[in-house]
Amino acid sequence: MERDQHELYEYARRRIKQKKRLYYHFVLFISTSLFLFLATKILTININKNWLLFGITIWAFLFLLHFIKVYITDRFMNKNWEREQIDRLVSLQERKLNELQKKINEENTHK
C-alpha cells in the first residue's frame, strides 16, 4: 500500500514538473516572439522578416510537440497504461499456451 502511495506521489510530482516546464516554455515563446516582433517594428532592426516568421513558426511547432507530449502522450501512456498493456499481452500469451496445451492433451488422448 505504501509503495502505491509513493508511486502516485512520484507520478504527480513528475506531471507537475512537466506542466511547469510547458508553461515556462509557453511564456518564453510568447515573450520572445513578442519582443522580436516589436523590436523589428519599433526599433527598425534590419532582420529579414521572413527569417523571423520562419523562426517563430518552427518554435511554435516545437511548442506544439511539447504540448502533445505533456497533455496527450504522457497523460494516456503512463505506468497504468503500461501495466494494462503488459497484462493484456501476458493474458494473450497464457491463452495461447493453454490452447496449445489442450491440443497436446487431445493428441495424447487420441493415441
Side-chain angles (χ1 to χ4, degrees):
M1 186 67 147
E2 188 175 315
R3 185 172 185 233
D4 291 336
Q5 288 290 0
H6 181 69
E7 284 182 15
L8 289 173
Y9 173 79
E10 285 300 316
Y11 173 74
R13 190 180 61 76
R14 189 172 31 105
R15 290 290 294 157
I16 295 290
K17 198 173 196 180
Q18 284 178 332
K19 289 179 181 181
K20 185 177 176 182
R21 287 181 186 152
L22 180 69
Y23 298 150
Y24 176 75
H25 187 178
F26 179 71
V27 168
L28 186 65
F29 167 67
I30 294 296
S31 60
T32 304
S33 298
L34 186 62
F35 172 76
L36 290 174
F37 178 75
L38 291 176
T40 56
K41 292 290 183 186
I42 295 172
L43 301 175
T44 61
I45 297 174
N46 291 330
I47 295 176
N48 188 345
K49 290 183 175 126
N50 290 333
W51 279 105
L52 180 63
L53 184 60
F54 182 70
I56 290 173
T57 303
I58 288 176
W59 197 352
F61 178 72
L62 293 173
F63 175 76
L64 181 65
L65 290 177
H66 191 178
F67 179 85
I68 289 170
K69 181 185 181 317
V70 171
Y71 279 101
I72 297 173
T73 307
D74 285 354
R75 182 175 177 197
F76 295 111
M77 295 183 181
N78 57 20
K79 284 194 180 226
N80 291 333
W81 180 84
E82 286 179 26
R83 285 183 189 150
E84 289 172 6
Q85 295 301 312
I86 289 170
D87 291 342
R88 186 180 63 81
L89 291 174
V90 166
S91 67
L92 181 66
Q93 290 298 319
E94 287 175 347
R95 189 170 6 119
K96 286 182 181 181
L97 287 173
N98 287 336
E99 288 173 8
L100 287 174
Q101 187 64 41
K102 282 181 185 179
K103 284 183 182 181
I104 291 172
N105 290 341
E106 286 176 5
E107 289 177 3
N108 287 337
T109 57
H110 289 294
K111 287 184 180 180

